[in-house]
């Protein structure tokens, strides 16, 4: 991805969108995120400072992570004073697009001491065109894929210790949290601002920085998340390690919420 | 500037907004379609036209 100019990268990221009606208007994927973001803030009366805290947290977690693209903290003030990518989305609320590769090795379960098993893998789709959806603030694909995954795994939301989000922008991360069932609609940001796992709350989010700070090598990102969750469950995450991580979830999005893949991994 | 426009019959489309400053655009404001230049395919290529939307200039009601 680093071979391409910023314009080419944005064009590439916008390719999942309908070219005849969406790209035709000149809007980018970040522009579509901006439309969602603006309506989200207005409908739920949430402040942008709350949504953008997801980026602050992700950068905190990336600090010291050897494979993170941006392994350092960023303050809320710094993020919200960065230039606009697509109003109201600031550049520092967007994922870091970069290079990367990840691999996983799958093998049949033989009870030979391997610690991590795939408890569920699901995928779902939604109407590609944002304008055709009943509600642009709900990612139906995320809802369906996660409901199915938790049924398949026989687990509940409370069981999840580690969650790698597809935070292409802060707002897609927050809406994903809600539609996966970790927070009510309009309350996703409070899960972040009030502190994860505080008061027996939500799971640890983006433990290596997520797309925001670990970076988004696009095609490799989904596998990055699975490799990261596996690393957590094995207890090999070094300074990024979460205590007693038993269950982890990786959520990957395609387009602006038009496809979603959920993988739940469990330590045996 | 691109907006999500809901037509009177409920259909929603994406469209560029013109003849208005970004800070003047409000959710729920009345808009109307206008025929505009969309892009040019180079100096001697096709000039594409299509719809854009602007604040409604017809009196409401």
């Amino acid at each position: 991805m680093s071979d391409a100019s910023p314009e080419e990268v944005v064009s590439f990221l916008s390719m999942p969108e309908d070219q005849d009606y969406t790209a035709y208007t000149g809007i980018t994927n970040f522009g579509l995120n901006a439309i969602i973001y603006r309506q989200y803030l207005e409908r739920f009366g949430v402040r942008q400072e709350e949504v953008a805290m997801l980026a602050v947290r992700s950068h905190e977690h990336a600090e010291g992570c050897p494979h993170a693209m941006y392994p350092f903290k960023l303050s809320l003030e710094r993020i919200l004073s960065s230039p606009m990518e697509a109003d109201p989305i600031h550049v520092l609320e967007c994922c870091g697009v970069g290079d990367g590769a990840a691999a996983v090795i799958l093998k049949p379960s033989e009870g030979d001491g391997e610690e991590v098993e795939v408890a569920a893998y699901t995928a779902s789709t939604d109407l590609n065109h944002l304008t055709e959806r009943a509600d642009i603030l709900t990612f139906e694909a995320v809802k369906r894929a996660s409901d199915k995954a938790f049924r398949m795994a026989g687990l509940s939301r409370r069981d999840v210790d580690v969650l790698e989000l597809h935070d292409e922008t802060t707002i897609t991360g927050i809406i994903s949290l809600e539609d996966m069932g970790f927070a009510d609609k309009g309350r996703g940001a409070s899960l972040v601002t009030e502190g994860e796992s505080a008061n027996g709350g939500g799971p640890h989010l983006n433990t290596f920085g997520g797309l925001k700070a670990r970076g988004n090598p696009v095609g490799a990102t989904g596998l990055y998340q699975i490799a990261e969750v596996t690393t957590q469950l094995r207890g090999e995450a070094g300074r990024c390690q979460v205590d007693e991580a038993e269950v982890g979830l990786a959520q990957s999005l395609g387009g602006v919420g038009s496809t979603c893949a959920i993988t739940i991994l469990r330590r045996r | 500037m691109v907006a999500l426009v809901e037509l009177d019959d409920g259909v929603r489309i994406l469209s560029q907004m013109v003849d208005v400053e970004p800070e003047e655009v409000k959710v729920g404001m009345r808009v109307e379609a206008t025929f505009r230049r969309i892009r040019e395919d180079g100096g001697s290529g096709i000039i594409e036209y299509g719809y854009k939307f602007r604040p409604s200039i017809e009196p409401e009601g």
Side-chain angles (χ1 to χ4, degrees), chain A residues 22-79:
Chain A
T22 302
Y24 174 75
T25 63
I27 201 165
T28 63
N29 68 318
F30 292 126
L32 292 165
N33 276 266
I35 287 179
I36 292 173
Y37 203 162
R38 193 170 282 282
Q39 186 147 31
Y40 184 93
L41 297 178
E42 184 158 320
R43 187 188 302 175
F44 297 119
V46 174
R47 291 178 306 119
Q48 184 162 11
E49 287 80 0
E50 298 173 65
V51 176
M53 275 304 289
L54 179 60
V56 177
R57 285 270 184 275
S58 296
H59 274 279
E60 283 172 4
H61 294 169
E63 192 178 34
C65 167
H67 70 270
M69 185 175 178
Y70 302 121
F72 46 78
K73 288 181 185 173
L74 271 185
S75 70
L76 188 61
E77 295 69 33
R78 176 84 193 281
I79 289 166

CSV table of all heavy atoms in Angstrom, one decimal, chain A residues 22-79:
chain,number,residue,atom,x,y,z
A,22,THR,N,-22.4,5.8,-6.6
A,22,THR,CA,-21.8,6.3,-5.4
A,22,THR,C,-20.5,7.1,-5.7
A,22,THR,O,-20.3,8.2,-5.5
A,22,THR,CB,-21.5,5.2,-4.4
A,22,THR,OG1,-22.7,4.6,-4.0
A,22,THR,CG2,-20.8,5.7,-3.1
A,23,ALA,N,-19.5,6.3,-6.4
A,23,ALA,CA,-18.3,6.9,-6.7
A,23,ALA,C,-18.5,8.1,-7.7
A,23,ALA,O,-17.7,9.0,-7.8
A,23,ALA,CB,-17.3,5.9,-7.3
A,24,TYR,N,-19.5,8.0,-8.5
A,24,TYR,CA,-19.9,9.0,-9.5
A,24,TYR,C,-20.0,10.4,-8.9
A,24,TYR,O,-19.7,11.4,-9.5
A,24,TYR,CB,-21.2,8.5,-10.1
A,24,TYR,CG,-21.8,9.5,-11.1
A,24,TYR,CD1,-21.3,9.7,-12.4
A,24,TYR,CD2,-23.0,10.2,-10.7
A,24,TYR,CE1,-21.9,10.6,-13.3
A,24,TYR,CE2,-23.6,11.1,-11.6
A,24,TYR,CZ,-23.0,11.3,-12.9
A,24,TYR,OH,-23.6,12.1,-13.8
A,25,THR,N,-20.5,10.4,-7.6
A,25,THR,CA,-20.7,11.7,-7.0
A,25,THR,C,-19.4,12.3,-6.5
A,25,THR,O,-19.3,13.4,-6.1
A,25,THR,CB,-21.6,11.6,-5.8
A,25,THR,OG1,-21.0,10.7,-4.8
A,25,THR,CG2,-23.0,11.0,-6.1
A,26,GLY,N,-18.3,11.5,-6.6
A,26,GLY,CA,-17.0,12.0,-6.1
A,26,GLY,C,-16.7,11.6,-4.6
A,26,GLY,O,-15.7,12.0,-4.1
A,27,ILE,N,-17.7,10.9,-4.0
A,27,ILE,CA,-17.5,10.6,-2.6
A,27,ILE,C,-16.6,9.4,-2.4
A,27,ILE,O,-16.5,8.6,-3.2
A,27,ILE,CB,-18.9,10.4,-1.9
A,27,ILE,CG1,-18.8,10.6,-0.4
A,27,ILE,CG2,-19.4,9.0,-2.2
A,27,ILE,CD1,-20.1,10.7,0.3
A,28,THR,N,-15.8,9.5,-1.3
A,28,THR,CA,-14.9,8.4,-1.0
A,28,THR,C,-15.5,7.5,0.1
A,28,THR,O,-16.5,7.9,0.7
A,28,THR,CB,-13.5,8.9,-0.5
A,28,THR,OG1,-13.8,9.7,0.7
A,28,THR,CG2,-12.9,9.9,-1.5
A,29,ASN,N,-14.8,6.4,0.5
A,29,ASN,CA,-15.3,5.6,1.6
A,29,ASN,C,-15.3,6.5,2.9
A,29,ASN,O,-16.2,6.3,3.7
A,29,ASN,CB,-14.6,4.3,1.7
A,29,ASN,CG,-13.1,4.5,2.2
A,29,ASN,OD1,-12.5,5.5,1.7
A,29,ASN,ND2,-12.7,3.7,3.1
A,30,PHE,N,-14.3,7.3,3.0
A,30,PHE,CA,-14.3,8.2,4.2
A,30,PHE,C,-15.4,9.2,4.2
A,30,PHE,O,-16.0,9.5,5.2
A,30,PHE,CB,-12.9,8.9,4.4
A,30,PHE,CG,-11.8,7.9,4.7
A,30,PHE,CD1,-10.7,7.9,3.9
A,30,PHE,CD2,-11.9,7.0,5.8
A,30,PHE,CE1,-9.6,7.0,4.2
A,30,PHE,CE2,-10.8,6.2,6.1
A,30,PHE,CZ,-9.7,6.2,5.3
A,31,GLY,N,-15.8,9.6,3.0
A,31,GLY,CA,-16.9,10.5,2.9
A,31,GLY,C,-18.2,9.9,3.3
A,31,GLY,O,-19.1,10.5,4.0
A,32,LEU,N,-18.4,8.6,2.9
A,32,LEU,CA,-19.6,7.8,3.4
A,32,LEU,C,-19.6,7.7,4.9
A,32,LEU,O,-20.6,7.8,5.5
A,32,LEU,CB,-19.6,6.5,2.7
A,32,LEU,CG,-19.9,6.5,1.1
A,32,LEU,CD1,-19.5,5.2,0.5
A,32,LEU,CD2,-21.3,6.9,0.8
A,33,ASN,N,-18.4,7.4,5.4
A,33,ASN,CA,-18.3,7.3,6.9
A,33,ASN,C,-18.7,8.7,7.5
A,33,ASN,O,-19.3,8.7,8.6
A,33,ASN,CB,-16.8,7.0,7.3
A,33,ASN,CG,-16.5,5.5,7.2
A,33,ASN,OD1,-16.6,4.9,8.3
A,33,ASN,ND2,-16.2,5.0,6.1
A,34,ALA,N,-18.4,9.7,6.8
A,34,ALA,CA,-18.7,11.1,7.4
A,34,ALA,C,-20.2,11.3,7.4
A,34,ALA,O,-20.7,11.9,8.4
A,34,ALA,CB,-18.0,12.1,6.5
A,35,ILE,N,-20.9,10.8,6.4
A,35,ILE,CA,-22.3,11.0,6.4
A,35,ILE,C,-22.9,10.2,7.6
A,35,ILE,O,-23.8,10.8,8.3
A,35,ILE,CB,-22.9,10.5,5.0
A,35,ILE,CG1,-22.6,11.5,3.9
A,35,ILE,CG2,-24.4,10.3,5.1
A,35,ILE,CD1,-23.1,11.2,2.6
A,36,ILE,N,-22.4,9.0,7.8
A,36,ILE,CA,-22.9,8.2,8.9
A,36,ILE,C,-22.6,8.9,10.2
A,36,ILE,O,-23.4,9.1,11.1
A,36,ILE,CB,-22.3,6.8,8.9
A,36,ILE,CG1,-22.8,6.0,7.7
A,36,ILE,CG2,-22.5,6.1,10.2
A,36,ILE,CD1,-22.1,4.7,7.4
A,37,TYR,N,-21.4,9.4,10.3
A,37,TYR,CA,-20.9,10.0,11.6
A,37,TYR,C,-21.7,11.3,11.9
A,37,TYR,O,-22.2,11.4,13.1
A,37,TYR,CB,-19.4,10.5,11.3
A,37,TYR,CG,-18.5,10.7,12.5
A,37,TYR,CD1,-17.1,10.7,12.4
A,37,TYR,CD2,-19.0,10.8,13.8
A,37,TYR,CE1,-16.3,10.9,13.4
A,37,TYR,CE2,-18.2,11.0,14.9
A,37,TYR,CZ,-16.8,11.0,14.7
A,37,TYR,OH,-16.0,11.2,15.8
A,38,ARG,N,-22.0,12.1,11.0
A,38,ARG,CA,-22.8,13.3,11.2
A,38,ARG,C,-24.2,13.0,11.7
A,38,ARG,O,-24.7,13.6,12.7
A,38,ARG,CB,-22.9,14.1,9.9
A,38,ARG,CG,-23.3,15.5,10.1
A,38,ARG,CD,-23.2,16.3,8.8
A,38,ARG,NE,-21.8,16.7,8.6
A,38,ARG,CZ,-21.2,17.8,9.2
A,38,ARG,NH1,-21.9,18.5,10.1
A,38,ARG,NH2,-20.0,18.1,8.9
A,39,GLN,N,-24.8,12.0,11.1
A,39,GLN,CA,-26.1,11.6,11.5
A,39,GLN,C,-26.1,10.9,12.9
A,39,GLN,O,-27.0,11.1,13.7
A,39,GLN,CB,-26.8,10.7,10.5
A,39,GLN,CG,-28.2,10.4,10.8
A,39,GLN,CD,-29.1,10.2,9.6
A,39,GLN,OE1,-28.6,9.7,8.5
A,39,GLN,NE2,-30.3,10.5,9.7
A,40,TYR,N,-25.1,10.2,13.1
A,40,TYR,CA,-24.9,9.5,14.4
A,40,TYR,C,-24.9,10.5,15.6
A,40,TYR,O,-25.6,10.4,16.5
A,40,TYR,CB,-23.7,8.6,14.4
A,40,TYR,CG,-23.5,7.8,15.7
A,40,TYR,CD1,-23.9,6.5,15.8
A,40,TYR,CD2,-22.8,8.4,16.8
A,40,TYR,CE1,-23.8,5.7,16.9
A,40,TYR,CE2,-22.7,7.6,18.0
A,40,TYR,CZ,-23.1,6.3,18.0
A,40,TYR,OH,-23.0,5.6,19.1
A,41,LEU,N,-24.0,11.5,15.4
A,41,LEU,CA,-23.9,12.6,16.4
A,41,LEU,C,-25.2,13.3,16.7
A,41,LEU,O,-25.6,13.6,17.8
A,41,LEU,CB,-22.8,13.6,16.1
A,41,LEU,CG,-21.3,13.0,15.9
A,41,LEU,CD1,-20.4,14.2,15.5
A,41,LEU,CD2,-20.8,12.4,17.2
A,42,GLU,N,-25.9,13.5,15.6
A,42,GLU,CA,-27.1,14.3,15.7
A,42,GLU,C,-28.3,13.5,16.3
A,42,GLU,O,-29.0,13.9,17.2
A,42,GLU,CB,-27.6,14.8,14.3
A,42,GLU,CG,-28.8,15.7,14.4
A,42,GLU,CD,-28.9,16.6,13.2
A,42,GLU,OE1,-27.9,17.1,12.7
A,42,GLU,OE2,-30.0,16.8,12.7
A,43,ARG,N,-28.4,12.2,15.8
A,43,ARG,CA,-29.5,11.4,16.3
A,43,ARG,C,-29.4,11.0,17.8
A,43,ARG,O,-30.3,11.1,18.6
A,43,ARG,CB,-29.7,10.1,15.5
A,43,ARG,CG,-31.0,9.4,15.9
A,43,ARG,CD,-31.1,8.0,15.3
A,43,ARG,NE,-31.1,8.1,13.8
A,43,ARG,CZ,-31.1,7.0,13.1
A,43,ARG,NH1,-31.1,5.8,13.6
A,43,ARG,NH2,-31.0,7.1,11.7
A,44,PHE,N,-28.2,10.7,18.2
A,44,PHE,CA,-28.0,10.2,19.6
A,44,PHE,C,-27.5,11.2,20.5
A,44,PHE,O,-27.3,11.0,21.7
A,44,PHE,CB,-27.0,9.0,19.6
A,44,PHE,CG,-27.6,7.8,18.8
A,44,PHE,CD1,-26.9,7.3,17.7
A,44,PHE,CD2,-28.8,7.2,19.1
A,44,PHE,CE1,-27.4,6.2,17.0
A,44,PHE,CE2,-29.3,6.1,18.4
A,44,PHE,CZ,-28.6,5.6,17.3
A,45,GLY,N,-27.2,12.4,20.0
A,45,GLY,CA,-26.8,13.5,20.9
A,45,GLY,C,-25.4,13.2,21.5
A,45,GLY,O,-25.1,13.6,22.7
A,46,VAL,N,-24.6,12.4,20.8
A,46,VAL,CA,-23.3,12.0,21.3
A,46,VAL,C,-22.3,13.1,20.8
A,46,VAL,O,-22.4,13.7,19.8
A,46,VAL,CB,-22.9,10.7,20.8
A,46,VAL,CG1,-21.5,10.3,21.1
A,46,VAL,CG2,-23.8,9.6,21.3
A,47,ARG,N,-21.3,13.4,21.7
A,47,ARG,CA,-20.2,14.4,21.3
A,47,ARG,C,-19.1,13.7,20.5
A,47,ARG,O,-18.8,12.5,20.8
A,47,ARG,CB,-19.7,15.1,22.5
A,47,ARG,CG,-20.7,16.0,23.2
A,47,ARG,CD,-20.1,16.7,24.4
A,47,ARG,NE,-19.6,15.7,25.3
A,47,ARG,CZ,-18.3,15.6,25.7
A,47,ARG,NH1,-17.5,16.5,25.3
A,47,ARG,NH2,-17.9,14.7,26.6
A,48,GLN,N,-18.5,14.4,19.6
A,48,GLN,CA,-17.5,13.8,18.8
A,48,GLN,C,-16.3,13.4,19.7
A,48,GLN,O,-15.6,12.4,19.4
A,48,GLN,CB,-17.0,14.8,17.7
A,48,GLN,CG,-15.9,14.2,16.8
A,48,GLN,CD,-15.8,15.0,15.5
A,48,GLN,OE1,-16.3,16.1,15.4
A,48,GLN,NE2,-15.1,14.4,14.6
A,49,GLU,N,-16.1,14.1,20.8
A,49,GLU,CA,-15.0,13.8,21.7
A,49,GLU,C,-15.1,12.4,22.2
A,49,GLU,O,-14.1,11.7,22.5
A,49,GLU,CB,-15.0,14.8,22.9
A,49,GLU,CG,-14.4,16.2,22.5
A,49,GLU,CD,-15.5,17.0,21.9
A,49,GLU,OE1,-16.6,16.6,21.7
A,49,GLU,OE2,-15.2,18.2,21.5
A,50,GLU,N,-16.4,11.9,22.4
A,50,GLU,CA,-16.6,10.6,23.0
A,50,GLU,C,-16.3,9.5,21.9
A,50,GLU,O,-15.7,8.5,22.2
A,50,GLU,CB,-18.1,10.4,23.4
A,50,GLU,CG,-18.5,11.4,24.5
A,50,GLU,CD,-20.0,11.3,24.8
A,50,GLU,OE1,-20.4,10.3,25.2
A,50,GLU,OE2,-20.7,12.3,24.5
A,51,VAL,N,-16.7,9.7,20.7
A,51,VAL,CA,-16.5,8.8,19.6
A,51,VAL,C,-15.0,8.7,19.3
A,51,VAL,O,-14.4,7.6,19.2
A,51,VAL,CB,-17.2,9.2,18.3
A,51,VAL,CG1,-16.9,8.2,17.2
A,51,VAL,CG2,-18.7,9.2,18.6
A,52,ALA,N,-14.3,9.8,19.3
A,52,ALA,CA,-12.9,9.9,19.0
A,52,ALA,C,-12.0,9.2,20.0
A,52,ALA,O,-10.8,8.9,19.8
A,52,ALA,CB,-12.4,11.3,18.7
A,53,MET,N,-12.6,9.0,21.2
A,53,MET,CA,-11.8,8.3,22.3
A,53,MET,C,-11.4,6.9,21.9
A,53,MET,O,-10.4,6.4,22.4
A,53,MET,CB,-12.6,8.3,23.6
A,53,MET,CG,-12.5,9.5,24.5
A,53,MET,SD,-10.8,10.0,24.9
A,53,MET,CE,-10.4,8.6,26.0
A,54,LEU,N,-12.1,6.4,21.0
A,54,LEU,CA,-11.7,5.0,20.5
A,54,LEU,C,-10.3,5.1,19.9
A,54,LEU,O,-9.4,4.2,20.1
A,54,LEU,CB,-12.7,4.5,19.4
A,54,LEU,CG,-12.3,3.1,18.8
A,54,LEU,CD1,-12.2,2.0,19.9
A,54,LEU,CD2,-13.4,2.7,17.8
A,55,ALA,N,-10.0,6.2,19.2
A,55,ALA,CA,-8.7,6.3,18.6
A,55,ALA,C,-7.6,6.5,19.7
A,55,ALA,O,-6.5,6.0,19.6
A,55,ALA,CB,-8.6,7.5,17.6
A,56,VAL,N,-7.9,7.3,20.7
A,56,VAL,CA,-7.0,7.5,21.8
A,56,VAL,C,-6.7,6.2,22.5
A,56,VAL,O,-5.5,5.9,22.7
A,56,VAL,CB,-7.6,8.5,22.9
A,56,VAL,CG1,-6.7,8.7,24.0
A,56,VAL,CG2,-7.9,9.8,22.2
A,57,ARG,N,-7.7,5.4,22.8
A,57,ARG,CA,-7.5,4.1,23.4
A,57,ARG,C,-6.6,3.2,22.5
A,57,ARG,O,-5.7,2.5,23.0
A,57,ARG,CB,-8.8,3.4,23.6
A,57,ARG,CG,-9.6,3.9,24.8
A,57,ARG,CD,-9.3,3.3,26.1
A,57,ARG,NE,-10.2,3.8,27.1
A,57,ARG,CZ,-9.9,4.9,27.8
A,57,ARG,NH1,-8.8,5.6,27.6
A,57,ARG,NH2,-10.8,5.3,28.7
A,58,SER,N,-6.9,3.2,21.2
A,58,SER,CA,-6.2,2.3,20.3
A,58,SER,C,-4.7,2.6,20.3
A,58,SER,O,-3.8,1.8,20.3
A,58,SER,CB,-6.8,2.4,18.9
A,58,SER,OG,-8.1,1.9,18.9
A,59,HIS,N,-4.4,3.9,20.3
A,59,HIS,CA,-3.0,4.4,20.3
A,59,HIS,C,-2.3,4.0,21.7
A,59,HIS,O,-1.2,3.7,21.7
A,59,HIS,CB,-2.9,5.9,20.0
A,59,HIS,CG,-2.9,6.2,18.6
A,59,HIS,ND1,-1.7,6.0,17.8
A,59,HIS,CD2,-3.8,6.5,17.7
A,59,HIS,CE1,-2.0,6.3,16.6
A,59,HIS,NE2,-3.2,6.6,16.5
A,60,GLU,N,-3.1,4.1,22.8
A,60,GLU,CA,-2.5,3.7,24.1
A,60,GLU,C,-2.1,2.2,24.0
A,60,GLU,O,-1.0,1.9,24.5
A,60,GLU,CB,-3.6,3.9,25.2
A,60,GLU,CG,-3.8,5.3,25.6
A,60,GLU,CD,-4.9,5.5,26.6
A,60,GLU,OE1,-5.5,4.4,27.0
A,60,GLU,OE2,-5.3,6.6,26.9
A,61,HIS,N,-2.9,1.4,23.4
A,61,HIS,CA,-2.6,0.0,23.4
A,61,HIS,C,-1.5,-0.3,22.4
A,61,HIS,O,-0.8,-1.3,22.6
A,61,HIS,CB,-3.9,-0.8,23.0
A,61,HIS,CG,-5.0,-0.7,24.0
A,61,HIS,ND1,-6.3,-1.1,23.7
A,61,HIS,CD2,-5.0,-0.2,25.2
A,61,HIS,CE1,-7.0,-0.9,24.8
A,61,HIS,NE2,-6.3,-0.3,25.7
A,62,ALA,N,-1.3,0.5,21.4
A,62,ALA,CA,-0.3,0.2,20.4
A,62,ALA,C,1.1,0.6,20.9
A,62,ALA,O,2.1,0.1,20.4
A,62,ALA,CB,-0.6,1.0,19.1
A,63,GLU,N,1.1,1.4,22.0
A,63,GLU,CA,2.4,1.9,22.5
A,63,GLU,C,3.3,0.7,22.9
A,63,GLU,O,2.9,-0.2,23.7
A,63,GLU,CB,2.2,2.8,23.7
A,63,GLU,CG,3.5,3.5,24.1
A,63,GLU,CD,3.3,4.4,25.3
A,63,GLU,OE1,2.5,4.1,26.2
A,63,GLU,OE2,3.9,5.5,25.3
A,64,GLY,N,4.4,0.6,22.2
A,64,GLY,CA,5.4,-0.5,22.5
A,64,GLY,C,5.1,-1.8,21.8
A,64,GLY,O,5.8,-2.8,22.0
A,65,CYS,N,4.1,-1.8,21.0
A,65,CYS,CA,3.8,-3.0,20.2
A,65,CYS,C,4.7,-3.1,19.0
A,65,CYS,O,4.7,-2.1,18.1
A,65,CYS,CB,2.3,-3.0,19.7
A,65,CYS,SG,2.0,-4.2,18.5
A,66,PRO,N,5.5,-4.1,18.9
A,66,PRO,CA,6.6,-4.1,17.9
A,66,PRO,C,6.0,-4.1,16.4
A,66,PRO,O,6.7,-3.6,15.5
A,66,PRO,CB,7.3,-5.4,18.2
A,66,PRO,CG,6.6,-6.1,19.2
A,66,PRO,CD,5.6,-5.3,19.8
A,67,HIS,N,4.9,-4.7,16.2
A,67,HIS,CA,4.4,-4.7,14.8
A,67,HIS,C,3.4,-3.6,14.5
A,67,HIS,O,2.8,-3.5,13.4
A,67,HIS,CB,3.7,-6.1,14.5
A,67,HIS,CG,2.4,-6.3,15.2
A,67,HIS,ND1,2.3,-6.9,16.4
A,67,HIS,CD2,1.1,-6.1,14.8
A,67,HIS,CE1,1.1,-7.1,16.7
A,67,HIS,NE2,0.3,-6.5,15.8
A,68,ALA,N,3.2,-2.6,15.4
A,68,ALA,CA,2.2,-1.5,15.2
A,68,ALA,C,2.9,-0.5,14.2
A,68,ALA,O,4.1,-0.2,14.3
A,68,ALA,CB,1.8,-0.9,16.5
A,69,MET,N,2.0,0.1,13.4
A,69,MET,CA,2.5,1.1,12.5
A,69,MET,C,2.8,2.4,13.2
A,69,MET,O,3.7,3.1,12.9
A,69,MET,CB,1.4,1.3,11.4
A,69,MET,CG,1.7,2.2,10.3
A,69,MET,SD,0.3,2.2,9.1
A,69,MET,CE,0.9,3.4,7.9
A,70,TYR,N,1.9,2.7,14.2
A,70,TYR,CA,2.0,4.0,15.0
A,70,TYR,C,2.1,3.6,16.4
A,70,TYR,O,1.1,3.8,17.1
A,70,TYR,CB,0.9,4.9,14.7
A,70,TYR,CG,0.8,5.3,13.2
A,70,TYR,CD1,-0.4,5.0,12.5
A,70,TYR,CD2,1.8,6.0,12.6
A,70,TYR,CE1,-0.5,5.4,11.1
A,70,TYR,CE2,1.7,6.3,11.2
A,70,TYR,CZ,0.5,6.1,10.5
A,70,TYR,OH,0.4,6.4,9.2
A,71,PRO,N,3.2,3.1,16.9
A,71,PRO,CA,3.3,2.6,18.3
A,71,PRO,C,3.5,3.7,19.4
A,71,PRO,O,4.4,3.7,20.1
A,71,PRO,CB,4.5,1.6,18.3
A,71,PRO,CG,5.4,2.2,17.2
A,71,PRO,CD,4.5,2.9,16.2
A,72,PHE,N,2.6,4.7,19.4
A,72,PHE,CA,2.7,5.8,20.3
A,72,PHE,C,1.3,6.3,20.7
A,72,PHE,O,0.4,6.1,20.0
A,72,PHE,CB,3.6,6.9,19.8
A,72,PHE,CG,3.3,7.3,18.4
A,72,PHE,CD1,2.2,8.1,18.1
A,72,PHE,CD2,4.1,6.8,17.3
A,72,PHE,CE1,1.9,8.4,16.8
A,72,PHE,CE2,3.7,7.1,16.0
A,72,PHE,CZ,2.6,8.0,15.7
A,73,LYS,N,1.3,7.1,21.8
A,73,LYS,CA,0.0,7.6,22.2
A,73,LYS,C,-0.3,8.9,21.4
A,73,LYS,O,0.6,9.6,20.9
A,73,LYS,CB,0.1,8.0,23.7
A,73,LYS,CG,0.1,6.8,24.6
A,73,LYS,CD,0.1,7.3,26.1
A,73,LYS,CE,0.3,6.1,27.0
A,73,LYS,NZ,0.5,6.5,28.4
A,74,LEU,N,-1.6,9.2,21.3
A,74,LEU,CA,-2.0,10.4,20.7
A,74,LEU,C,-3.1,11.0,21.6
A,74,LEU,O,-4.0,10.2,22.0
A,74,LEU,CB,-2.6,10.1,19.3
A,74,LEU,CG,-1.7,10.2,18.1
A,74,LEU,CD1,-2.5,10.0,16.8
A,74,LEU,CD2,-0.9,11.4,18.0
A,75,SER,N,-3.0,12.3,21.8
A,75,SER,CA,-4.1,12.9,22.7
A,75,SER,C,-5.3,13.2,21.9
A,75,SER,O,-5.3,13.3,20.7
A,75,SER,CB,-3.5,14.2,23.3
A,75,SER,OG,-3.4,15.2,22.3
A,76,LEU,N,-6.4,13.3,22.6
A,76,LEU,CA,-7.7,13.6,22.0
A,76,LEU,C,-7.6,15.0,21.3
A,76,LEU,O,-8.1,15.2,20.2
A,76,LEU,CB,-8.8,13.7,23.1
A,76,LEU,CG,-10.2,13.8,22.6
A,76,LEU,CD1,-10.6,12.7,21.7
A,76,LEU,CD2,-11.2,13.9,23.8
A,77,GLU,N,-6.9,15.9,21.9
A,77,GLU,CA,-6.7,17.3,21.4
A,77,GLU,C,-6.0,17.2,20.0
A,77,GLU,O,-6.4,17.9,19.1
A,77,GLU,CB,-6.0,18.2,22.3
A,77,GLU,CG,-6.7,18.5,23.6
A,77,GLU,CD,-6.8,17.3,24.6
A,77,GLU,OE1,-5.8,16.5,24.6
A,77,GLU,OE2,-7.8,17.2,25.3
A,78,ARG,N,-5.0,16.4,20.0
A,78,ARG,CA,-4.2,16.2,18.8
A,78,ARG,C,-5.0,15.6,17.7
A,78,ARG,O,-5.0,16.1,16.5
A,78,ARG,CB,-3.0,15.3,19.1
A,78,ARG,CG,-2.1,15.0,17.9
A,78,ARG,CD,-1.1,16.1,17.7
A,78,ARG,NE,-0.5,15.9,16.4
A,78,ARG,CZ,0.5,15.1,16.1
A,78,ARG,NH1,1.0,14.3,17.0
A,78,ARG,NH2,1.0,15.0,14.9
A,79,ILE,N,-5.8,14.6,18.0
A,79,ILE,CA,-6.7,13.9,17.0
A,79,ILE,C,-7.7,14.9,16.5
A,79,ILE,O,-7.9,15.0,15.3
A,79,ILE,CB,-7.3,12.7,17.6
A,79,ILE,CG1,-6.3,11.6,17.9
A,79,ILE,CG2,-8.4,12.2,16.8
A,79,ILE,CD1,-6.7,10.5,18.8
